[in-house]
Amino acid sequence: MTLDRNLEAMLFAAAKPFTVARLTQMLDAEKDDVQIALDALAERLNVSGSGLQLQKNGSEYELVTRPECADAVAKVVNVEAQAELSRASLEALTILAYRGPLTRPELEQIRGVQSSIILRNLLLRGLIEQSEDMRLGQPVYSVTFDFLNHLGLSGVEALPDFEKLRGHSSVVDVLKQLESTSTPPPADPQAPNLHV
Amino acid sequence: MPVTFRVEHFEGPLDLLLQLVEQEKLDISQVSLATVADQFVEYVHQSTEIKLEELADFLVIASKLVYLKSKLLLPDLHVEDMEEGPDLETQLRTYKSFVDASRALDELWKSGARSFPRAKPAVIRAQASFQPPKDFTTDLMRELMLRVISRLVPLQSLPQAMIERVVTVQEKIGQLYSHIREKAKATFRTFVGTANSKQETVASFLALLELVKQRFLVVEQGTLFEDIAIEAHPEAPQNNPLSESFV
């Protein structure tokens, strides 16, 4: 199996994240094979005692150093002091990490309070990103590679109780209720057309 | 019901509600939510911490609490508008599960565990110039601009409504109480004689009920629909009725 070796070398040399689709295209391979090779690479790094780990965010992959090596790496790279997170920021980040990507109204539905300022702060700090994938006419927010690096995580899936909280039936309920109540009413044919 | 302890700081209405339930050492349930409803309303009423732009969110939760409490008292109560949207118990449970998870995340954040991506190879910065992609056309620019504009239009324009200034029950409690202190006796009809609207009459009546409940006043009514005689309770408490909360 040379595919996972090639992927390792490519991700090392490029020093930036790539989507599975982009890797598949560059390697001229089957997408399923690339995915299998990526999983194999992650596993090999985990069991071989490597100082690196494969990090996944959404459909993107990047090679990063293992959190256990943080002190050693700090000797050779500049590490900025990690400012504390406010309670509100922590809340929003947690929700986006476990349940993201989410639109702003979805996040607010869970937090019960308007969150545009928090979102803007987190965007400025580079811990979340806004993407153009619209849902219910709204852009969606998700955590960034930077966020994962701050915590030394290989992906959001590595968070405690990830599966349990992500699939939590009450979370699904709360979000579903939002979808049913926020559907815009059908256009009234009798209403005057304002977009002349 | 007087507030017996203070929640020092809260992030939004669900956080306040959760802290109130937890301080009473209760599990999240319809009953426990109804139990803390009065306290919640009192906080919203008195807190200087609630930002104006968040007030509406607090009022939404307060109204759900009051509805929940009313439903426990009147099991047949069913208001279509209030049944819409997420039920408060589920919402609070969900919120709590994320608050718990955020504590673990905070520990991880503070633990110093970090990963580093490979440092970007140094590149010589090319002279900045406008280099549009090959398929970039003015039509595409127009389309992109339209997309930007469409994002600025609010999803659903909010209906505009005027909020009519209505006299509050609190105000009426104050008026009725000082009225009785001056005159010693009164009847309900003379008291509402000056009311300008049905709402004001209702507020007066609620004020009367509250003051009777708090043992500031006693009332007497001969028969149904007859005027109600009001006088001070012989053992009326000395404090001000307005310092007590009520829902």
Side-chain angles (χ1 to χ4, degrees):
Chain A
M1 181 96 170
T2 55
L3 202 49
D4 68 292
R5 224 168 54 191
N6 284 340
L7 284 165
E8 182 181 14
M10 286 164 78
L11 289 170
F12 173 79
K16 64 174 184 182
F18 282 114
T19 62
V20 181
R22 181 86 181 102
L23 291 168
T24 305
Q25 188 195 354
M26 290 187 296
L27 284 162
D28 195 18
E30 290 296 317
K31 196 172 176 187
D32 287 351
D33 292 341
V34 172
Q35 189 60 62
I36 291 167
L38 283 165
D39 293 344
L41 172 60
E43 178 66 15
R44 177 158 60 75
L45 293 172
N46 282 344
V47 297
S48 69
S50 168
L52 300 180
Q53 66 179 7
L54 186 65
Q55 197 177 51
K56 172 180 185 269
N57 189 22
S59 66
E60 288 187 294
Y61 286 86
E62 183 172 27
L63 271 186
V64 297
T65 62
R66 204 163 273 283
E68 294 87 334
C69 310
D71 290 345
V73 181
K75 311 264 187 246
V76 294
V77 299
N78 285 329
V79 184
E80 286 164 49
Q82 200 146 290
E84 267 194 32
L85 292 169
S86 69
R87 278 243 0 239
S89 301
L90 257 174
E91 252 180 55
L93 270 176
T94 307
I95 294 166
L96 288 175
Y98 278 90
R99 206 57 186 77
L102 289 176
T103 63
R104 186 174 52 79
E106 285 170 328
L107 175 72
E108 290 174 346
Q109 179 80 345
I110 296 175
R111 291 195 65 222
V113 67
Q114 66 95 24
S115 304
S116 51
I117 296 167
I118 293 293
L119 281 174
R120 199 167 54 207
N121 286 342
L122 292 173
L123 278 172
L124 285 174
R125 286 179 76 171
L127 296 172
I128 61 166
E129 61 197 346
Q130 188 189 43
S131 96
E132 288 292 320
D133 295 339
M134 300 291 229
R135 191 155 72 235
L136 300 171
Q138 300 261 351
V140 294
Y141 298 87
S142 48
V143 293
T144 59
F145 274 105
D146 251 11
F147 167 80
L148 295 175
N149 283 329
H150 270 287
L151 299 170
L153 291 171
S154 59
V156 287
E157 293 83 356
L159 285 164
D161 290 333
F162 179 77
E163 291 300 330
K164 200 176 125 205
L165 251 147
R166 184 168 183 86
H168 205 293
S169 62
S170 63
V171 181
V172 177
D173 280 358
V174 166
L175 291 177
K176 207 183 278 165
Q177 276 153 336
L178 176 76
E179 222 163 299
S180 60
T181 50
S182 74
T183 319
D188 183 0
Q190 300 298 310
N193 184 7
L194 297 174
H195 304 281
V196 199
Chain B
M1 188 193 299
V3 178
T4 49
F5 46 74
R6 302 295 309 174
V7 170
E8 290 300 331
H9 179 75
F10 46 88
E11 295 286 346
L14 290 179
D15 187 28
L16 173 60
L17 189 55
L18 188 60
Q19 289 191 47
L20 290 174
V21 171
E22 284 178 346
Q23 276 184 330
E24 293 282 339
K25 301 203 168 29
L26 296 169
D27 291 329
I28 298 170
S29 68
Q30 309 272 324
V31 176
S32 68
L33 290 179
T35 309
V36 300
D38 290 14
Q39 293 181 31
F40 185 92
V41 172
E42 183 66 10
Y43 270 97
V44 175
H45 189 59
Q46 291 189 349
S47 176
T48 50
E49 201 188 331
I50 299 171
K51 298 183 203 99
L52 206 56
E53 65 267 26
E54 290 179 0
L55 191 59
D57 298 321
F58 279 87
L59 293 178
V60 167
I61 302 295
S63 68
K64 284 184 181 180
L65 282 171
V66 173
Y67 178 64
L68 222 156
K69 200 179 167 186
S70 317
K71 266 182 73 151
L72 288 179
L73 296 171
L74 308 163
D76 291 340
L77 187 69
H78 185 94
V79 181
E80 205 56 53
D81 282 354
M82 293 301 295
E83 298 287 340
E84 257 181 34
D87 91 271
L88 195 54
E89 193 188 332
T90 313
Q91 209 181 349
L92 193 62
R93 278 179 201 283
T94 305
Y95 176 74
K96 184 180 186 305
S97 59
F98 283 112
V99 168
D100 292 345
S102 78
R103 297 210 178 96
L105 202 130
D106 193 31
E107 269 170 38
L108 198 56
W109 181 270
K110 289 171 177 159
S111 72
R114 281 188 77 162
S115 287
F116 297 90
R118 223 181 124 214
K120 301 279 175 289
V123 284
I124 299 148
R125 206 170 282 270
Q127 193 75 41
S129 64
F130 183 57
Q131 291 174 318
K134 286 200 179 71
D135 53 358
F136 196 75
T137 61
T138 46
D139 272 350
L140 187 63
M141 278 179 80
R142 178 175 166 276
E143 214 170 279
L144 290 172
M145 192 62 204
L146 283 174
R147 211 189 296 172
V148 171
I149 293 169
S150 75
R151 293 238 310 251
L152 299 176
V153 181
L155 253 193
Q156 218 177 310
S157 43
L158 289 169
Q160 295 206 343
M162 289 287 284
I163 297 172
E164 209 177 319
R165 166 91 183 112
V166 182
V167 87
T168 69
V169 181
Q170 293 277 15
E171 283 168 13
K172 279 289 162 192
I173 288 179
Q175 285 174 17
L176 183 55
Y177 187 61
S178 55
H179 191 80
I180 294 295
R181 288 193 98 165
E182 270 170 38
K183 309 253 164 79
K185 276 184 186 178
T187 71
F188 187 63
R189 240 165 238 161
T190 55
F191 179 60
V192 295
T194 55
N196 292 320
S197 64
K198 208 181 272 177
Q199 285 95 325
E200 199 177 330
T201 309
V202 172
S204 302
F205 188 64
L206 288 175
L208 179 65
L209 289 180
E210 181 64 23
L211 285 170
V212 170
K213 185 185 139 206
Q214 288 186 27
R215 294 174 179 274
F216 281 100
L217 304 178
V218 282
V219 289
E220 212 185 305
Q221 188 180 30
T223 55
L224 210 57
F225 301 118
E226 204 182 84
D227 202 0
I228 304 166
I230 309 169
E231 59 184 297
H233 193 287
E235 291 151 34
Q238 285 311 298
N239 58 336
N240 186 340
L242 289 173
S243 66
E244 298 283 311
S245 77
F246 72 94
V247 174

